[in-house]
Amino acid sequence: MASGSMAPNPRTIKHAFAPNYVCTFQVPDQDELNKRLLALVNEERRRSPESRRCEGREMWQSSRSVADDEPVKELFEHIFGAARDFADFLNWHVEGLRPVCKICWANIHPPGAFHTRHIHPPHVHMSGVYYIHAPENCGDIVFHDLARFLGLRSSTPPVVEPTALNRTLLAVKPADGLCVIFPSHIMHEVEVNRSAGDRVGFAFNINFE
């Protein structure tokens, strides 16, 4: 043993505390569904060309919830199943409750658009995004460790290698048909769309009721 080094204590117990988790899944057979969803988004934008006010920059977001439109309801048959599985994984007590989406917006991020760092309202259980069309380099969705972002962990030494236990952000690359679900308190942002085309999808909130 090197001089001054200490042997590990075999009685040391390590306790995990409040880790962050993000769920991703690919919607099966999404090609035909995405055609209908894209037609819905384009029609919604034609009817309401002015974007809803939100944290996004240079983007368009529908001014009304589109959660009750038929193609979106079909999409949420997949999303609700994943939300229930995710809630079980998180060991949330949701027995006898069902996932409900009352708020769902259509989003279009053209080249140069982005979404600033934010969290969703505290009364929301889960939030997510579904990608209808996501060209290469259209901007990752990036999740941040809130304590590090607020400067509360600035004195932590640098890590040797990023792992699930020490990394302070998680970047998820968009893809057609990909859905991302996360607890609504996790801070997140969307990087600049550096592609030549639009990134198109839906942002949504889910509660168990």
Side-chain angles (χ1 to χ4, degrees):
M1 184 182 301
S3 176
S5 62
M6 298 178 61
N9 186 341
R11 293 174 294 179
T12 299
I13 301 174
K14 301 174 179 66
H15 302 269
F17 174 70
N20 293 317
Y21 288 97
V22 173
C23 169
T24 64
F25 71 97
Q26 198 78 24
V27 171
D29 304 318
Q30 76 269 10
D31 290 348
E32 187 61 34
L33 177 59
N34 281 348
K35 291 179 182 178
R36 295 165 59 208
L37 292 170
L38 186 58
L40 169 67
V41 174
N42 288 333
E43 174 61 17
E44 182 68 22
R45 190 178 190 183
R46 186 192 68 79
R47 291 191 299 173
S48 304
E50 292 297 322
S51 175
R52 170 182 175 269
R53 293 189 63 182
C54 61
E55 293 86 355
R57 300 293 183 267
E58 309 301 328
M59 65 170 285
W60 175 85
Q61 186 174 81
S62 59
S63 57
R64 70 175 183 96
S65 175
V66 294
D68 292 329
D69 291 85
E70 286 302 320
V72 182
K73 289 164 67 174
E74 185 175 327
L75 169 66
F76 271 88
E77 293 178 8
H78 302 286
I79 294 176
F80 286 153
R84 282 189 289 265
D85 290 343
F86 195 26
D88 288 342
F89 169 77
L90 295 171
N91 207 24
W92 287 2
H93 184 51
V94 295
E95 184 177 355
L97 304 178
R98 63 188 181 94
V100 174
C101 174
K102 296 179 180 177
I103 300 295
C104 175
W105 298 282
N107 288 335
I108 298 179
H109 287 80
F114 61 98
H115 219 87
T116 56
R117 295 181 190 182
H118 64 287
I119 57 176
H120 288 225
H123 63 272
V124 176
H125 297 156
M126 289 182 179
S127 296
V129 59
Y130 175 74
Y131 298 104
I132 301 171
H133 181 60
E136 189 71 21
N137 298 320
C138 68
D140 293 351
I141 181 171
V142 182
F143 299 92
H144 294 272
D145 175 69
L146 186 57
R148 176 65 67 116
F149 173 75
L150 295 174
L152 303 179
R153 290 172 48 187
S154 58
S155 61
T156 305
V159 301
V160 175
E161 180 181 1
T163 70
L165 296 176
N166 62 32
R167 63 185 175 187
T168 59
L169 61 83
L170 171 70
V172 177
K173 182 179 180 180
D176 292 6
L178 180 71
C179 187
V180 184
I181 304 176
F182 50 93
S184 300
H185 64 268
I186 299 180
M187 176 171 282
H188 55 286
E189 66 178 315
V190 180
E191 296 177 326
V192 174
N193 180 358
R194 302 189 186 281
S195 76
D198 292 342
R199 182 178 66 247
V200 184
F202 293 106
F204 56 86
N205 291 328
I206 289 176
N207 275 10
F208 289 85
E209 300 179 354

